[in-house]
């Protein structure tokens, strides 16, 4: 019920699950007493790993690639601006000590991956905007965690240049580990046939968690490692991808539910009233001053319209990450840490209620719309037939694809690949070379292992350039080309094992006939 309400309302699901936790906890209906901040922090970190893995698996490389420089600048320079401005507001306007103010400034400077992923994927925005925001939410956890830990350490805080060096080193280690683990994991899953299709989703998530563990053990950013590794896995041509994606999505929901309910249990509602207005003031400084300055200053080198910068300023959503990070000073025993937690908790709830539902309205007011070309992306799903040394490609033709009106023969598939079945209006038939493809069709393409990449490249070229793709210079336009753009997964492949089984049975029948 909570999932359905959050999906329809446009609110991040954290609000509903936090409400459930508050209702179960102290001052709630069941009066469950829970005050273990250390356990909450451990479980919160574990849940964040799963959420980042799910977000990385669903991130499109072609959207994030051009956004990487902007996201990195936002995650480094932008975080520094946000921490300084927010901490100054908390100190001078609310009266917090500088250590408490710096902790709050660092905690709330991290945009939440779960909130960003859940809201932005329901709002039709240009790919460059969603790419920057999603990549930023995956990258800025690392510097923020380092700052929060440094400010929460009893004693003197390290010099600013030491902190910058630690941030740079941990990001570099995390990035290297994430890329290495992701690449090795994708290579292994594509070349090692597991005994059951149900093992692939488990293997993908295990690889993602291993990236976090390896990054943390090497004193790097485990959060960045798991996000990059998952993004590489999500854009690789892995077998049984629909099952993997669905499994990761389900785990992500479970992680969010468990983490948010636990955070709701940890809070004491009657203590929040005293810190309500300080939280509103700090949140106002963060949302109206710090975040816009962070975005506009950090993105000065990039030629982005002011409307998109304004939208990105408003779309810096906070969620579970700041609340989990607010438990670090509680575990460290910093004076006033309970008040810091309460302020962060109220700030997240109030401004998520304001920002989440108003984001689509602001995008419309600023006349920011989705790029129509994104709807024309061809959905291709692949599944290997190990015994037959071939692949089945399930191709979904979207409404705006230039493959509409192209004859099967005009696809000019490479030798070793053929369109074997067309599904149209819930009816399937074997196409002839003169069969005209239409929008909404689903094609079943069989390709031998050596030409699998070339077949997919040719299909994508026709989808982008139509029947003249080869003469228009479209990548993959020539039938024998081996260009292989990053695949985007859509739809599901059905009856793969059944088809493979029939082929094997046919081989056995032919063998018996010869005898």
């Amino acid at each position: 019920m909570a999932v359905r309400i959050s999906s329809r309302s446009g609110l991040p699901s954290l609000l509903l699950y936090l409400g459930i936790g508050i209702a179960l906890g102290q001052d709630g209906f069941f009066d469950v007493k829970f005050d273990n901040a250390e356990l909450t922090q451990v479980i919160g970190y574990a849940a964040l790993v799963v959420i980042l893995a799910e977000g990385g698996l669903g991130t499109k490389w072609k959207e994030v690639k051009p956004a990487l420089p902007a996201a990195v600048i936002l995650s480094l320079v932008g975080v520094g601006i946000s921490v300084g401005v927010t901490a100054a507001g908390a100190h001078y306007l609310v009266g917090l000590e500088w250590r408490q103010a710096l902790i709050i400034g660092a905690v709330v400077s991290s945009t939440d991956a779960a909130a960003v992923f859940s809201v932005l994927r329901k709002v039709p925005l240009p790919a460059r905007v969603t790419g920057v925001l999603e990549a930023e939410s995956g990258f800025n956890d690392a510097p923020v965690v380092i700052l929060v830990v440094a400010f929460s350490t009893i004693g003197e805080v390290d010099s600013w240049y030491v902190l910058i060096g630690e941030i740079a080193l941990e990001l570099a280690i995390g990035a290297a580990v994430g890329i290495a683990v992701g690449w090795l994991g994708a290579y292994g899953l594509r070349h090692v046939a597991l005994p059951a299709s149900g093992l692939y989703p488990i293997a993908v998530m295990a690889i993602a968690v291993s990236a976090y563990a390896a990054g943390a053990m090497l004193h790097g950013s485990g959060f960045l490692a798991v996000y990059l590794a998952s993004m590489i896995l999500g854009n690789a041509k892995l077998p049984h991808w629909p099952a993997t994606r669905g499994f990761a999505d389900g785990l992500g929901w479970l992680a969010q539910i468990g983490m948010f309910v636990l955070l709701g249990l940890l809070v004491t509602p009657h203590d929040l009233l005293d810190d309500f207005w300080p939280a509103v003031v700090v949140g106002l400084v963060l949302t109206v001053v710090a975040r816009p300055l962070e975005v506009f200053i950090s993105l000065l080198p990039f030629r982005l319209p002011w409307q998109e910068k304004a939208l990105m300023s408003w779309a810096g959503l906070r969620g579970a990450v700041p609340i989990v990070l607010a438990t670090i000073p509680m575990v460290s025993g910093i004076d006033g840490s309970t008040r810091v937690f309460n302020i962060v908790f109220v700030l997240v709830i109030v401004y998520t209620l304001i920002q989440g539902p108003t984001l689509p309205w602001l995008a419309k007011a600023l006349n920011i719309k989705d790029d129509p070309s994104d709807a024309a992306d061809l959905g291709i799903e692949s599944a290997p037939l190990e015994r037959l040394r071939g692949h089945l490609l399930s191709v979904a033709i979207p409404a705006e694809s230039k493959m509409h009106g192209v004859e099967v023969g005009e696809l000019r598939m490479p030798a070793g690949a053929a369109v074997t079945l067309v599904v149209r209006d819930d009816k399937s038939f074997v196409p002839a070379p003169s069969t005209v493809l239409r929008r909404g069709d689903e094609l079943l393409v069989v390709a031998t292992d050596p030409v699998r990449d070339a077949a997919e490249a040719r299909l994508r070229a026709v989808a982008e350039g139509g029947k003249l793709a080869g003469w228009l210079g479209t990548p993959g336009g020539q039938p024998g080309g081996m260009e292989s753009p990053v695949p985007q997964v859509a739809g599901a492949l059905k009856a793969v094992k059944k088809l493979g089984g029939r082929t094997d049975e046919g081989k056995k029948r032919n063998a018996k006939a010869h005898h």
Side-chain angles (χ1 to χ4, degrees):
M1 180 66 71
V3 173
R4 292 178 64 87
I5 293 174
S6 65
S7 298
R8 294 186 178 183
S9 64
L11 289 171
S13 54
L14 73 95
L15 295 179
L16 296 169
Y17 305 136
L18 282 173
I20 293 173
I22 293 173
L24 293 174
Q26 300 180 54
D27 298 343
F29 297 107
F30 297 92
D31 196 27
V32 176
K33 290 181 171 43
F34 179 80
D35 58 358
N36 194 331
E38 187 173 359
L39 176 61
T40 303
Q41 180 182 327
V42 172
I43 296 177
Y45 273 33
L48 288 176
V49 170
V50 175
I51 292 170
L52 281 171
E54 188 273 330
L57 291 173
T59 299
K60 298 179 180 180
W61 171 246
K62 72 172 187 178
E63 294 180 1
V64 172
K65 182 180 178 181
L68 282 179
V72 171
I73 296 295
L74 272 176
S75 302
L76 297 176
V77 178
V79 163
I81 295 172
S82 179
V83 171
V85 174
T86 306
H91 176 71
Y92 290 110
L93 298 179
V94 178
L96 295 177
E97 297 179 359
W98 269 115
R99 182 185 289 271
Q100 298 172 359
L102 286 170
I103 291 174
I104 288 182
V107 164
V108 298
S109 294
S110 175
T111 55
D112 183 70
V116 170
F117 294 147
S118 63
V119 172
L120 290 186
R121 290 176 184 176
K122 299 181 182 69
V123 181
L125 298 176
R128 60 180 174 270
V129 175
T130 57
V132 170
L133 292 172
E134 290 190 5
E136 179 200 10
S137 68
F139 292 165
N140 62 13
D141 291 334
V144 167
V145 168
I146 295 172
L147 290 176
V148 174
V149 172
F151 296 149
S152 301
T153 301
I154 297 177
E156 294 185 1
V157 179
D158 292 334
S159 302
W160 63 269
Y161 53 86
V162 175
L163 293 177
I164 292 177
E166 290 179 358
I167 290 172
L169 180 60
E170 290 202 15
L171 286 177
I173 295 174
V177 170
I179 292 172
V181 173
W183 187 87
L184 290 173
Y187 180 86
L189 289 175
R190 291 184 62 188
H191 291 82
V192 177
L194 297 179
S197 60
L199 293 177
Y200 283 91
I202 299 174
V204 168
M205 293 304 296
I207 292 170
V209 174
S210 298
Y212 174 83
M217 289 179 62
L218 294 174
H219 301 287
S221 171
F223 291 126
L224 180 60
V226 68
Y227 181 72
L228 290 179
S230 302
M231 187 166 62
I232 292 173
L233 291 169
N235 289 277
K237 301 164 187 173
L238 299 182
H240 308 291
W241 182 248
T244 300
R245 191 70 189 92
F247 180 76
D249 192 44
L251 277 185
W253 276 107
L254 288 176
Q256 290 185 54
I257 293 171
M259 177 174 59
F260 297 150
V261 171
L262 195 62
L263 290 171
L265 282 172
L266 184 63
V267 73
T268 304
H270 68 263
D271 291 341
L272 299 177
L273 297 177
D274 294 336
D275 297 314
F276 179 82
W277 289 113
V280 172
V281 172
V282 174
L284 193 63
V285 173
L286 170 68
T287 307
V288 179
V289 182
R291 176 65 181 181
L293 283 176
E294 170 189 356
V295 171
F296 278 85
I297 294 177
S298 299
L299 299 183
L300 277 176
F302 306 94
R303 296 180 179 179
L304 294 175
W306 71 268
Q307 294 92 337
E308 294 185 2
K309 292 180 181 178
L311 185 68
M312 284 190 275
S313 299
W314 190 249
L317 302 176
R318 272 73 190 175
V321 172
I323 300 177
V324 171
L325 294 181
T327 63
I328 294 177
M330 296 178 69
V331 175
S332 301
I334 297 296
D335 292 338
S337 58
T338 301
R339 191 184 185 196
V340 169
F341 180 86
N342 291 338
I343 290 176
V344 172
F345 192 93
V346 174
L347 185 155
V348 168
I349 292 179
V350 170
Y351 285 92
T352 301
L353 277 171
I354 296 173
Q355 290 176 274
T358 57
L359 192 58
W361 173 85
L362 181 61
K364 185 178 180 180
L366 294 173
N367 197 27
I368 299 177
K369 300 178 181 179
D370 191 9
D371 186 358
S373 62
D374 292 343
D377 186 30
L378 191 67
I380 298 181
E381 173 56 45
S382 174
L385 300 174
E386 289 88 356
R387 295 183 181 180
L388 306 182
R389 295 183 180 179
H391 294 262
L392 290 177
L393 304 180
S394 177
V395 183
I397 302 178
E400 303 298 327
S401 175
K402 292 185 179 180
M403 193 178 286
H404 174 76
V406 176
E407 295 183 3
V408 171
E410 292 173 330
L411 292 176
R412 295 186 292 123
M413 299 293 290
V419 179
T420 59
L421 199 68
V422 175
V423 180
R424 179 179 298 165
D425 299 329
D426 296 328
K427 296 180 180 179
S428 60
F429 60 92
V430 177
S434 59
T435 298
V436 179
L437 301 176
R438 300 177 184 174
R439 58 178 61 93
D441 285 353
E442 294 185 20
L443 316 180
L444 185 64
V445 179
V446 178
T448 57
D449 195 57
V451 301
R452 180 247 181 271
D453 290 345
E456 180 177 338
R458 177 59 190 167
L459 289 169
R460 292 191 181 279
V462 177
E464 296 175 7
K467 62 181 70 177
L468 298 180
W471 287 272
L472 295 177
T474 307
Q478 298 303 325
M482 290 301 293
E483 296 92 345
S484 179
V486 176
Q488 302 302 326
V489 179
L493 186 65
K494 299 178 180 179
V496 173
K497 293 183 179 179
K498 191 173 183 181
L499 180 59
R502 287 180 179 176
T503 306
D504 292 337
E505 292 173 2
K507 285 184 176 182
K508 294 177 181 179
R509 287 196 295 269
N510 291 338
K512 291 180 180 179
H514 285 300
H515 286 299

